[in-house]
Structures are given as structure tokens and as C-alpha cells.
Amino acid sequence: MAEETARLQALEAAEAVPAGGSAAPDADADAGPSAPDAVDGDPEPAPATATDAGGTGDDDGESPHSDPAAPEGTDSAEVDARGREPSSSGPLGKEAAGAVRERPEPRSAAAGAAVRGPLDAVAVAAAREVLAGGGAPGELAEPVVRALGEGAAELVRADPWSVLGLPGVRVGVEQVDAFARAVLGEAAGPGDERRVRALVSHVLDRAAEQGHTALGADTLRTALARYSVPDPDAGLAAAVEEGRVLAFREAPEGAEGAAQHAGDAEGGEDGADGEDGEPAPVRLLFGLDRYALAEESLADGCVRLLRSFEGPREDEAPGWEAAAAAAPSPSAAELIRAAGASGLVLHTGGEAARAEPAALVAAARAAGLRAYAAAYTDSGRRRLAEVPGIGAEGARTVVELLAGGRAADGSLPLDLLAVLDAPQLSVEEAATLVEAVPDGARLVLSGDPHTLWSAGPGRAFADLLASKAFPRVTSRTPDPGPIGELTSYVAVGELAAVEAPGKEVVVVPVRAPGEAVHRAVQLVADSVPRAFGVPPGDTQVITLAHGGPVGTRALNAALKERLNPGPGRFGGFDPGDRVVHVPAPGRTYPATVVGADQEGLRLAGADGPVLVPRAEVGATVRHGWAVTGHQAAGIRWPAAVVVVPGDAGPLLTRGWVYTAFSRGERHLSVVQGAEQALAAAVAGPVAKERTTRLAAVLRELAAQ
């Protein structure tokens, strides 16, 4: 029950602020999903209503609470799981607009426009009239028409709550209720079935932004009751009957699991035996169909790969054994043997262990197989391309891989695929990836289980490991040097001092936020370049959140003033500014501003020029001298300066510390303002738990 109570305290921070309210600093996390996590606000948040569907410029922020079901307006630290800072004006609050696109190479304004697509002017005008009649900002018209189609005006007039949760529209329940009363008059009551349907989806959407793919029955009932829904059970039943929400009865793995989830138990159901031989209660879960189907599709795909693989041909076996014998390490040899004998293998290890799946792919390519290595980030893909035997031809990002050519049946033309950074895959991304791997091929999912989980909903890699349904290879290759030793301690819950004769690890104690910002700037601009010869452009500052006195905004403002002062003549940016482009949740691309013109902001990225269309700049580009932990995940720099603020609170987890500390290759400075809270966080859980179904679905399939 405690677990569900904790979840009931988290959505307060993920909801929009009531009219006239204020927003607190957005947090890092991406649990946050979504975000999955995720969809963010603009770099300098201002009141607004429209955000682009799919994502925004800060995709990582986890709510400091863990309640996916509390109504908005109940806590001063209200942010969504991806770091957006909702604000409001009138019945529907305002939020900044920005487009979200895939990242074609090269990208252009035309590409962005193609994704956004033209809208019917008459439909937009009609929607604007309905919105204005209810006191809502007219700028909502375009995202509403984009989401609901040309008949949006009539749909919104008939059901004003239909705007709640639309892609590109970020509003809270209080604002939508006010809008509905303005449109419908006294007919807009708290028990209106249109309102209840929208609220069920809304609560599950907010939960998804915190990483959950499902919620327990009691959590949902309590959430609906807090929104003054008179009959929550009837509302849930109606949502299930309509098909937008699915219900599942899930028997816990054992008595201990049954007790842990007793808050969602439905008495009288048969399940696993609990204490004293009594049947353990069965948990009743509700989830949005998209995430439920993604989890089932992922589970089906994984089991399919395992069962469709017929083993190596007789003439192949000696080649696999020879490749294992020539492997660069015992763990690489073990992985090569496991991949040779199975259609799906899970591989875990730290930064040094990334060489093991790379060795596998190089060996497979040398044997003539169509083998590829895919990383989640461009940085990871570039590192793979440097491996002899893989090269640029054999290295991809996950996005590039899925956007590439397919066979007639939709599968990828490959024999072996190794995916690194697997913990960063949301359940939907993982499902799409696994579905594309053909029968008989080999798939290796590799990642560090101690890092932050995905920005999107789910914990796919962790659930695959927890199911114990697939072969697993655990690397025995340690990360080298003092930084590797420190992160190895963090991985097991210890914060220990390490010997660093070359000052590879330095801890800088601070007491006040202003001192933390000052010392971080000093380290980047002076100390690290002088001691290690690492220029400021190769040192990354990492902090917990975007907002607050030691968040990315405050740090970036101070770093810009020191390293590249200017008036911000291009929408807040100047040539030479270091930025990150986040076109979708979980996708972070470091770059440098080159200039701007009528088409948009021009950046120089590691892979060449990038054009961000004008309409997308505010929502997808931030200054990048300082980033959050999720934005840094999957990327490495020569040096890292990690800032741990004194007011970190629940955002500070072992997974965040591990991820942040492991981003520096040669040097790590820790600006430590959290005192004993840092050690306590390291000793605590790796991350906040997420309610998911994948592990249970996998166990069911494996048992068949």
C-alpha cells in the first residue's frame, strides 16, 4: 500500500498550474518519462497554450513526487515529468509552441514543414471561434485541428473536455473545466460522462509521463475522487468498455509481491499462494491501450526471436568458436558464444563493457553476416564507428536503423543486431525495434542496469532482465581508473573515497547555491583547462534540474556570461553559444550556434550543419554548457563537472548519481552541496519504481 500511496503523491507536480498559479523549477528525470520523458517547455518558459506534439526542448524532468494521480494545483513545485513548467491564462493556460520532428540528415526547414503539414484554414478559423467563445486562447486552434482533424470545431463544441491531453495542448483539469462551463453552461457537471472519460485518460497520461505504463485500481479511483468524480468505478468501467483503457488482472510472482501490491488487490481472486497457504491477491491494473499493446508486442517479439532461432548451422559453429577464442576479453568471448547459440541475449556492463557487443558485431561482419551495432545517441554511434571491423557502415543510431530500408515484410535486412544503451529504450521504442528484427536473426540488447531509465514510459530493459526468460551475459570487465572505481562503488550503493593521484576525481564542497554556480564556472573556465588541458567546450556541466538556483538555466546563464557573452540576438542565442537540440523526448544533440536567418537557427553539430526552423527553436533548443542527467545519458565528454545542489530532494537517486559521475572520460569534478544527502541517495534505490506489466507478460509467455 505504501508504494501506491507514494504514486498517489506524484501527479501533483505533473499537472498544470491553476489559473493565476505559478510554476516551480522543472526537474530532471525523465522518469519522466515521457519523457517518453516529455515534451518540454521552452528554454525560457513563458505563459502559453500550445506545445508541439511529440516532444520539446527539455525532455527530462522527473517530478519530485511519486504520485501519478493527484490533481493539479495542490503543490507549489508543479512540473511535468519532462520538465515543463505549466502556466495559465484564462480558462485554458498558455504554453509555448514548437515543432517536433525526426532528425533527418541533413535536416532542413522543408523537412520540418513536411512533418507539420498544412492545415485547413477554414477548420482552424472555426476551431478558433469555438475556443474564443469559451475564453480560450486562439493559438490553441492549430494544435487542436492537427489532433482532431477538420471537424475539430464541432467536436470541441460537443465535448469541451476533448482538448484535455491532446498532443500539442498543455492544459490542466481546472482550466478545461472552466472552458467546459463557458461552452456548455450548467450542463457541465463533475459527473458528466465526457468529463470522466477524459479524466481517466488524463490521469494515465500523467502517469506515463512519470514512466508508468499502467496504474493500480485504487490509485485511479483515488485520483478520480480527487477530481470530484461521483462514481469512480463507473467511470473506469465506461472507459474500459469504450476501449480507450484496458484492464488487466495480474497475479504477483509470489506471496511477497502480493503483499507489496495489496493496495490494488481484488479480494477473492485466485493467485499465487501467499503466507499461510492463502491465495495471494490478484492485482487489478488499468493502462492506456498504446502502452499495453506495446508491452505485449515487445514480449511477443522477444519470445518469437528466442523460439524462431534454430541455432547455428553446422558449418557456422566452428566460426563462432574461433571468434570467441580471438575475442579481446573473457566477457566478450562469453557474449560471442551466447549470441551464436540464441536468438536473443541480454548483456549488462559498464562503459568498458561496450567493447564486448562491439567485438561481437565486428566478428560477425568479418564472417560475412549482415551485422550492425546501434546506439541510442549520436555520440554512441560515432564511438562504434571507430571500432575496427564495424566502421561507419556497421554503426547506426536506433532512429537511423528504424528509418532505414526494410524488407517486403517490414523487417530489417540483417542477421545480427547489437543494441547498446538499451536502458534508454522506452517500451514503445523497444517494441518497434524488436518487431523489425526478422525471424531467425540474432538480437543482443546491451546496457548498464545502473543508469537512469528511459525518458519514455516503461522500463523495458529492466523488465526483460527481471523476467529471467532470456540468456544473460554479465560483463566482468571493470571500468578503469579512479572514475571507474568510484562508479563501481555507486553501483552497489556505496559512496566511497577513491585514490586519484592524477586528480581524476575532485570533490568541491559548497554551502550556498551561488557558491555552487561560481565554482562550476570556475572549474569549466579555469581549473580543468589548466590542470588537464581540456578546453571549456569539452567539459560538460551536469545538474539535477532545469529550474532552481543551481539548475541548467542558472548555470548556463553564468557560463554564457563567462565564456560567450552576448545579447542573445537570435532568440536568446548568439554565435558561439553551446546548445543542445532536443527534437523529441530523450533525443539530445549537442551543437554550437552558427547564426540565424529567416529559415531558422543554424547550428554546427558533430555530424555537420543543422537547421532548426524558427517555429521549433523555442521548444527544442536550450543552452548546453549545463544539461540534466537524462540529457547527458549515452554521451561522454573528456571532463564532467557534476553539480549536486543542497535542495536536491527526491530527485537525487543512485541512478542519477551513477549516470552523472560516469559521463567524464578523463576527469570528474563534483560540486557537492548536498552533504549527507548524496550518500543517502546512493544507498537508496536505483530509481523510483514504475508500474509496468512487461515482466509479468513475459513470464506468462515463457510458461506457455
Side-chain angles (χ1 to χ4, degrees), residues 499-675:
E499 293 291 332
K503 301 295 183 183
E504 295 89 347
V505 177
V506 174
V507 178
V508 182
V510 295
R511 292 188 176 276
E515 183 185 4
V517 172
H518 172 75
R519 295 307 298 270
V521 173
Q522 184 181 56
L523 285 162
V524 173
D526 296 325
S527 304
V528 173
R530 183 173 62 250
F532 299 96
V534 177
D538 288 337
T539 298
Q540 185 62 58
V541 178
I542 303 169
T543 189
L544 273 166
H546 291 297
V550 195
T552 61
R553 293 190 190 93
L555 285 162
N556 278 319
L559 286 160
K560 175 174 172 55
E561 183 178 357
R562 177 67 181 274
L563 299 173
N564 195 47
R569 57 197 178 102
F570 301 142
F573 303 102
D574 292 297
D577 277 359
R578 189 169 164 182
V579 298
V580 286
H581 182 213
V582 187
R587 305 290 180 186
T588 301
Y589 303 96
T592 302
V593 175
V594 175
D597 52 34
Q598 289 300 314
E599 292 184 299
L601 190 66
R602 296 191 178 275
L603 310 177
D607 295 319
V610 176
L611 172 63
V612 182
R614 291 168 63 92
E616 301 182 21
V617 172
T620 66
V621 181
R622 283 184 177 270
H623 282 110
W625 287 284
V627 298
T628 59
H630 258 89
Q631 289 178 325
I635 308 175
R636 298 263 279 170
W637 292 269
V641 175
V642 177
V643 182
V644 186
D647 60 351
L651 288 176
L652 189 61
T653 64
R654 187 198 308 176
W656 186 91
V657 174
Y658 182 92
T659 302
F661 282 12
S662 58
R663 296 308 91 200
E665 296 172 334
R666 295 169 50 194
H667 173 74
L668 167 67
S669 282
V670 181
V671 180
Q672 163 51 323
E675 298 182 343

Side-chain angles (χ1 to χ4, degrees), residues 15 159-166 171-173 176-177 180 190-206 220 224 227 229 235-236 238-239 242 244-245 288:
E15 298 290 336
D159 181 3
W161 289 282
S162 62
V163 301
L164 186 62
L166 288 181
V171 295
V173 174
V176 177
D177 282 343
D192 190 301
E193 63 180 25
R194 294 166 293 187
R195 178 177 186 265
V196 176
R197 285 198 306 267
L199 284 174
V200 172
S201 295
H202 174 74
V203 172
L204 290 170
D205 276 332
R206 297 288 76 77
L220 270 169
L224 294 175
Y227 286 123
V229 172
L236 287 174
E242 192 178 52
R244 65 174 63 189
V245 173
L288 293 173

Side-chain angles (χ1 to χ4, degrees), residues 19 26 46 73 131 135 199 214 257 259 315 363 380 441 470 475 655:
D26 41 342
L131 291 166
L199 284 174
D315 59 337
F470 309 101
S475 174

Side-chain angles (χ1 to χ4, degrees), residues 121-354:
V122 174
V124 172
R128 185 176 290 112
E129 181 180 353
V130 173
L131 291 166
E139 68 190 67
L140 273 177
E142 287 196 12
V144 166
V145 172
R146 197 175 300 280
L148 297 179
E150 295 182 3
E154 290 305 314
L155 290 172
V156 173
R157 184 179 287 111
D159 181 3
W161 289 282
S162 62
V163 301
L164 186 62
L166 288 181
V169 180
R170 186 67 175 178
V171 295
V173 174
E174 183 172 319
Q175 289 90 355
V176 177
D177 282 343
F179 174 65
R181 288 192 296 270
V183 173
L184 301 176
E186 294 185 3
D192 190 301
E193 63 180 25
R194 294 166 293 187
R195 178 177 186 265
V196 176
R197 285 198 306 267
L199 284 174
V200 172
S201 295
H202 174 74
V203 172
L204 290 170
D205 276 332
R206 297 288 76 77
E209 289 183 352
Q210 296 174 29
H212 308 288
T213 60
L215 284 181
D218 284 354
T219 302
L220 270 169
R221 291 188 191 106
T222 303
L224 294 175
R226 289 182 178 179
Y227 286 123
S228 302
V229 172
D231 190 347
D233 283 329
L236 287 174
V240 171
E241 183 176 356
E242 192 178 52
R244 65 174 63 189
V245 173
L246 302 180
F248 307 91
R249 295 185 183 276
E250 180 180 289
E253 193 173 5
E256 181 179 348
Q260 179 181 357
H261 299 297
D264 284 326
E266 288 291 305
E269 299 290 339
D270 292 333
D273 285 346
E275 295 181 7
D276 301 324
E278 293 295 324
V282 173
R283 191 160 60 141
L284 183 61
L285 297 176
F286 293 86
L288 293 173
D289 55 357
R290 62 180 289 191
Y291 302 124
L293 294 175
E295 288 182 310
E296 292 178 2
S297 174
L298 176 55
D300 287 339
C302 289
V303 172
R304 169 183 61 83
L305 290 176
L306 199 63
R307 293 177 178 173
S308 67
F309 183 73
E310 298 178 352
R313 298 193 311 269
E314 190 171 327
D315 59 337
E316 281 185 342
W320 284 101
E321 187 54 41
S329 69
S331 292
E334 184 181 358
L335 178 61
I336 290 172
R337 291 189 179 97
S342 178
L344 175 60
V345 176
L346 306 179
H347 171 260
T348 59
E351 284 293 327
R354 296 172 71 93

